[in-house]
Amino acid sequence: MSAGQVTADVFTVLVGVLHVYIFFLETYYWRTKARKVFGTTEDFANQTGVLAANQGCYNLLFAVGIFYSVIFNDYSLKLLFLSFVESAAVFGAATASVRIVFTQGLPAFLSVVLQLFAAADVTTDTLYLLLNQVAIVVAFLVLGVIVNAHENRLKESLVANQ
């Protein structure tokens, strides 16, 4: 295994570790430590605990997929699970907090780039895969903006009807 591949895999594992941490925050510490991390109120944390635990479960699944792909050195699965993380981060940034794209999406994107360059010489296929990653990010950004706009209209409608 080349030094570049080791570097890419270490960075990829760190993305998995980050998502295990997020799992614990959203599942076990939502009403305590996570309030400070996410900047939520006690009332909000109490109302959304079950939703946060569900989100935490998805973050753990991202981590398990990432760890599996690295342990079994499955290049396609590495890219797949890192793409899931990127997509979720961009969607979360558009609907919840822009910070998500930096804390979760950027490390995943950098891992993808490292994986692409470690896997082979820079070829047309590598550049195509990089463009594919950009397309995924843009697609989920657009989707997130649409969902966010729709939710804002719903909130305005609810306020107007009260």
Side-chain angles (χ1 to χ4, degrees):
M1 188 177 291
S2 72
Q5 188 62 58
V6 170
T7 302
D9 283 349
V10 166
F11 209 81
T12 299
V13 166
L14 290 175
V15 172
V17 170
L18 171 66
H19 283 80
V20 170
Y21 171 70
I22 295 168
F23 161 76
F24 278 101
L25 283 177
E26 292 176 339
T27 305
Y28 295 106
Y29 301 110
W30 185 248
R31 290 174 180 87
T32 57
K33 294 177 185 177
R35 285 185 42 222
K36 184 176 181 182
V37 172
F38 294 108
T40 60
T41 64
E42 182 178 358
D43 187 45
F44 180 83
N46 288 331
Q47 290 177 0
T48 59
V50 173
L51 296 172
N54 185 54
Q55 241 173 247
C57 179
Y58 286 104
N59 279 294
L60 184 62
L61 291 172
F62 289 158
V64 168
I66 287 169
F67 296 147
Y68 179 92
S69 70
V70 172
I71 290 167
F72 292 101
N73 198 27
D74 190 319
Y75 178 72
S76 295
L77 282 180
K78 289 175 193 176
L79 294 182
L80 178 68
F81 279 97
L82 290 168
S83 294
F84 288 165
V85 172
E86 289 173 327
S87 302
V90 170
F91 188 83
T95 58
S97 170
V98 172
R99 191 174 80 167
I100 295 170
V101 84
F102 297 106
T103 58
Q104 295 177 39
L106 185 59
F109 182 76
L110 293 175
S111 289
V112 166
V113 170
L114 289 171
Q115 289 294 340
L116 290 173
F117 282 103
D121 294 328
V122 178
T123 64
T124 305
D125 289 343
T126 305
L127 296 175
Y128 172 76
L129 288 170
L130 279 172
L131 287 174
N132 213 1
Q133 289 296 304
V134 171
I136 289 169
V137 168
V138 169
F140 273 87
L141 179 60
V142 169
L143 179 61
V145 168
I146 291 168
V147 168
N148 196 27
H150 178 69
E151 286 192 11
N152 286 338
R153 281 194 299 270
L154 284 175
K155 288 175 189 174
E156 289 170 5
S157 174
L158 289 173
V159 169
N161 289 331
Q162 287 182 349

